[in-house]
């Protein structure tokens, strides 16, 4: 990131998770309720395991906020792990003699960090590496992303997401522009009353729910894809001046860094492969007084720069690696074959991964907004963004 810095720490079953977000301007009104809502959204969803029922995450501010507004200093925060009290022996910070320790985990799960991480750090208890690799580490990202969302919201940008595919079931299968299919009053657009899988196509969602139940019954897991949308992004975030300043590359890297995400598309994405140019590029609508396009196959980014259309990022999420009917594995300690270990786990994480996707997109866009428009205070930032909107959102003539 170019203007913001985010550092996070915390293990899945340790005492808690912490983060420091540096670079927010002074004067951002912070809604703690909004942050807690995003944390709850990260925990909600059909196919979630028991832990999500045990824990209700809440943010605890430690630094950088006074009277509900940012000070311009780093914002420090913590989210306690309510389950910690059940893990004090297995995750003890204090040394425990080897003969009194809980049993080590030695049978790695295929598809998870277990074997690669154990080999990298030279450990023989896989818990040493899986605790940090767990998606619990996305919790501080969601807190920081919620702050970024609030900053973006103060300049008119709105971010939302939905699940568009689960296993073989695709919502709006024939659609060229998936956004056109999402009703303007679909509740999740305004983050109200989420449906169980956060899919805006009720008929497809019903079939998706059946797929989740089938995977659960088989002791298996199931993946799919989610879409993150950012609306009213000012023209001009990112640049084509250098490879690492392109907005598409920045967003793709951040979304790809979500655990379990294996592919990222902007706009049509891989859909460009089998089309001719005339069916890929978006024509500026002659009838419109603004710079509106008649389609948004580019997903809101051309030449690495936001073009004013909604930014549309789609991510492929692999099925979780922890299976209740575990895959074959090899014991790290003895070399004997056996089954992978079982950790408390979800059948699908799609509706929750989408919320992490929103957080990553919000963080990247807030960072680029601050890079382009700067400002020590929110008043400076808002004024600069308004100036840009005045210049770019009206067509001459
Ligand atoms: C919100 C969320 C929750 C997840 N929950 C689980 C889980 O309960 N069990 C699991 O095995 N993987 C879970 N994952 C996925 C793993 O973190 C991921 O499979 C693992 O990091 C290996 O994937 P990688 O190779 O992409 O890192 C979750 C991912 C996300 C985004």
């Amino acid at each position: 990131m170019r203007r913001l810095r985010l550092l996070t720490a915390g293990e899945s079953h340790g005492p808690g998770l912490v983060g420091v977000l540096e670079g927010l301007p002074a004067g951002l009104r912070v809604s703690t309720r909004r942050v807690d809502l995003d944390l709850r959204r990260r925990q909600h969803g059909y196919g979630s395991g028991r832990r999500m029922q045990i824990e209700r995450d809440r943010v605890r501010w430690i630094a950088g906020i006074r009277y509900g507004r940012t000070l311009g200093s780093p914002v420090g925060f913590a989210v306690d792990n309510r389950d910690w009290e059940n893990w004090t022996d297995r995750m003890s910070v204090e040394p425990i003699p080897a003969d009194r320790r809980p049993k080590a985990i030695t049978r790695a799960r295929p598809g998870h960090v277990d074997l690669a991480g154990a080999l990298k750090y030279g450990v023989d208890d896989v818990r040493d590496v899986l605790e940090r690799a767990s998606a619990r580490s996305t919790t501080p990202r969601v807190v920081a992303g919620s702050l970024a969302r609030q900053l973006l919201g103060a300049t008119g940008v709105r971010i939302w997401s939905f699940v568009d595919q689960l296993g073989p079931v695709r919502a709006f299968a024939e659609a060229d522009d998936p956004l056109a299919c999402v009703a303007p009053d679909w509740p999740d657009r305004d983050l109200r009353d989420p449906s169980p899988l956060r899919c805006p196509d009720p008929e497809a969602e019903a079939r998706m729910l059946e797929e989740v139940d089938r995977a659960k019954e088989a002791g298996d897991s199931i993946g799919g894809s989610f879409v993150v949308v950012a609306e009213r992004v000012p023209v001009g975030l990112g640049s084509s001046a250098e490879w690492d300043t392109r907005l598409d590359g920045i967003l793709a890297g951040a979304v790809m860094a979500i655990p379990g995400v294996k592919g990222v598309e902007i706009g049509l994405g891989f859909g460009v492969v089998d089309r001719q140019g005339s069916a890929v590029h978006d024509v500026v609508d002659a009838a419109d007084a603004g710079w509106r396009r008649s389609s948004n196959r580019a997903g809101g980014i051309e030449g690495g720069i936001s073009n004013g259309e909604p930014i549309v990022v789609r991510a492929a999420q692999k099925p979780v690696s922890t299976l209740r009917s575990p895959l074959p594995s090899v014991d790290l300690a003895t070399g004997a074959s056996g089954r992978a270990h079982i950790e408390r786990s979800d059948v699908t994480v799609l509706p929750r991964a989408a919320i992490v996707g929103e957080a990553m997109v919000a963080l990247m866009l807030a960072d680029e907004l601050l890079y382009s428009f700067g400002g020590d205070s929110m008043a400076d930032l808002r004024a600069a963004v308004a100036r840009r909107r005045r210049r770019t959102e009206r067509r001459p003539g």
Side-chain angles (χ1 to χ4, degrees):
M1 288 193 280
R2 302 203 268 181
R3 278 289 299 260
L4 293 170
R5 273 201 295 176
L6 174 64
L7 203 59
T8 70
E11 275 70 44
S12 182
H13 299 97
L17 303 131
V18 295
V20 176
L21 182 63
E22 192 209 339
L24 289 175
L28 171 66
R29 201 193 296 263
V30 173
S31 163
T32 303
R33 255 182 59 192
R34 179 65 239 230
V35 175
D36 285 341
L37 173 64
D38 281 331
L39 287 173
R40 185 148 55 81
R41 292 170 74 235
R42 195 201 73 93
Q43 293 189 291
H44 168 91
Y46 199 75
S48 300
R50 215 174 66 82
R51 180 167 193 181
M52 298 308 126
Q53 289 140 34
I54 303 172
E55 287 191 297
R56 166 69 70 91
D57 285 336
R58 287 193 199 289
V59 69
R60 193 155 48 81
W61 302 116
I62 292 170
I65 299 176
R66 181 166 185 246
Y67 298 147
R69 288 176 192 263
T70 54
L71 296 170
S73 48
V75 173
F77 57 85
V79 177
D80 297 330
N81 281 335
R82 283 158 208 255
D83 203 18
W84 157 241
E85 60 192 41
N86 301 316
W87 287 78
T88 48
D89 56 346
R90 279 168 290 179
M91 290 301 293
S92 170
V93 175
E94 298 304 326
I96 296 185
D99 59 333
R100 294 205 346 243
R101 280 185 208 162
K103 197 170 169 323
I105 296 175
T106 53
R107 280 168 296 121
R109 292 163 299 175
H112 221 306
V113 70
D114 303 4
L115 181 56
L119 295 176
K120 173 179 167 71
Y121 294 108
V123 296
D124 47 22
D125 185 351
V126 170
R127 183 158 302 288
D128 280 359
V129 292
L130 72 81
E131 281 286 329
R132 181 62 182 157
S134 153
R136 184 90 184 125
S137 67
T138 60
T139 306
R141 294 192 224 177
V142 169
V143 174
S146 189
L147 291 170
R149 176 205 296 279
Q150 293 182 38
L151 179 141
L152 292 164
T155 64
V157 179
R158 186 166 78 148
I159 295 183
W160 52 283
S161 68
F162 58 96
V163 167
D164 75 327
Q165 181 156 358
L166 186 138
V169 184
R170 175 112 197 231
F172 315 123
E174 304 304 318
D176 196 36
D177 175 1
L179 295 197
C181 305
V182 182
D185 61 347
W186 181 62
D188 249 25
R189 226 169 163 147
D190 288 324
L191 319 174
R192 291 175 283 129
D193 190 31
S195 64
L197 282 169
R198 310 192 59 256
C199 173
D201 177 345
E203 189 271 322
E205 185 168 59
R207 286 188 289 130
M208 289 176 180
L209 292 170
E210 287 169 17
E211 290 292 335
V212 176
D213 291 343
R214 235 193 310 278
K216 186 173 183 182
E217 236 163 74
D220 215 324
S221 60
I222 191 157
S225 60
F226 62 84
V227 175
V228 180
V229 185
E231 289 173 314
R232 292 266 301 142
V233 176
V235 174
L237 298 196
S239 93
S240 42
E242 193 54 273
W243 64 269
D244 59 352
T245 63
R246 292 183 58 102
L247 189 59
D248 39 12
I250 290 168
L251 288 173
V255 173
M256 194 75 163
I258 298 170
V261 167
K262 293 297 132 201
V264 181
E265 298 180 325
I266 313 272
L268 275 184
F270 278 80
V272 301
V273 169
D274 58 0
R275 294 176 179 222
Q276 298 197 338
S278 55
V280 167
H281 306 303
D282 305 305
V283 174
V284 176
D285 195 337
D288 200 301
W291 297 109
R292 294 252 78 94
R293 288 150 180 84
S294 50
S295 55
N296 183 27
R297 297 160 180 151
I301 303 175
E302 287 169 306
I305 300 173
S306 60
N307 66 9
E309 299 293 332
I311 291 181
V312 184
V313 184
R314 180 168 185 245
Q317 181 82 31
K318 77 179 180 185
V320 295
S321 322
T322 313
L323 307 186
R324 258 192 326 107
S325 301
L327 290 169
S329 181
V330 176
D331 194 297
L332 287 178
T334 63
S337 40
R339 294 270 157 189
H341 86 271
I342 304 178
E343 187 80 1
R344 194 166 53 201
S345 188
D346 305 334
V347 180
T348 188
V349 300
L350 266 180
R352 302 171 48 223
I355 306 306
V356 184
E358 287 180 10
M360 298 311 288
V361 168
L363 271 169
M364 296 305 115
L365 292 181
D367 186 52
E368 285 301 313
L369 194 83
L370 288 166
Y371 182 81
S372 287
F373 300 105
D376 291 322
S377 69
M378 283 304 291
D380 292 348
L381 178 68
R382 262 197 300 262
V385 172
R387 240 187 341 267
R388 171 65 60 92
R389 288 198 191 280
R390 276 197 298 278
R391 181 165 72 73
T392 58
E393 291 183 5
R394 227 172 315 121
R395 232 165 53 184

